[in-house]
Amino acid sequence: MEPPASWPHWRDTAWMMYGLSLHSESLNRLHPQGLTVKVQNLSFPTSDYVPEVAAFVMEGWTREVFDLTPAGISVEYDTTNRRYIFSWGNGMPFSDEASGVPVSHAW
């Protein structure tokens, strides 16, 4: 993945790369010679934004463009506690699976 020249924050890049990586096996089969995804822009309302959302943006874009099945991640908004609850399917991004870190977290 190639981010834009003026990227707002390194966490956005990391989360977008994670979202893209969720389809890495399928993309490798479709493009065994390699593939570069160049991000032109990422815009969002700053009032409700959390960096993890960038993973969902990239996963959804990749799924749509390459006609892939959903990667199994989800997010809900807990209105009672006013927080996002992320579920990452089979693992927790940026963690050691053996550490016992749960596969979902709230933000």
Side-chain angles (χ1 to χ4, degrees):
M1 188 185 91
E2 182 182 329
S6 61
W7 199 251
H9 197 275
W10 66 267
R11 291 180 68 192
D12 297 316
T13 301
W15 282 107
M16 288 187 80
M17 290 176 72
Y18 176 74
L20 182 61
S21 77
L22 294 172
H23 293 291
S24 61
E25 289 181 23
S26 296
L27 292 173
N28 284 335
R29 277 193 304 276
L30 291 169
H31 298 277
Q33 74 284 4
L35 174 72
T36 299
V37 173
K38 184 173 182 173
V39 178
Q40 297 293 321
N41 188 20
L42 174 65
S43 60
F44 47 84
T46 55
S47 61
D48 296 323
Y49 183 75
V50 293
E52 290 87 343
V53 171
F56 289 86
V57 169
M58 184 56 78
E59 189 279 334
W61 178 88
T62 305
R63 184 170 21 95
E64 183 177 311
V65 168
F66 296 99
D67 194 28
L68 303 172
T69 59
I73 60 175
S74 65
V75 62
E76 295 178 36
Y77 185 72
D78 178 353
T79 55
T80 304
N81 296 306
R82 298 177 61 186
R83 64 182 184 163
Y84 293 97
I85 301 172
F86 295 91
S87 179
W88 301 107
N90 294 329
M92 177 75 172
F94 313 117
S95 70
D96 176 6
E97 290 296 319
S99 70
V101 174
V103 295
S104 64
H105 75 280
W107 182 256

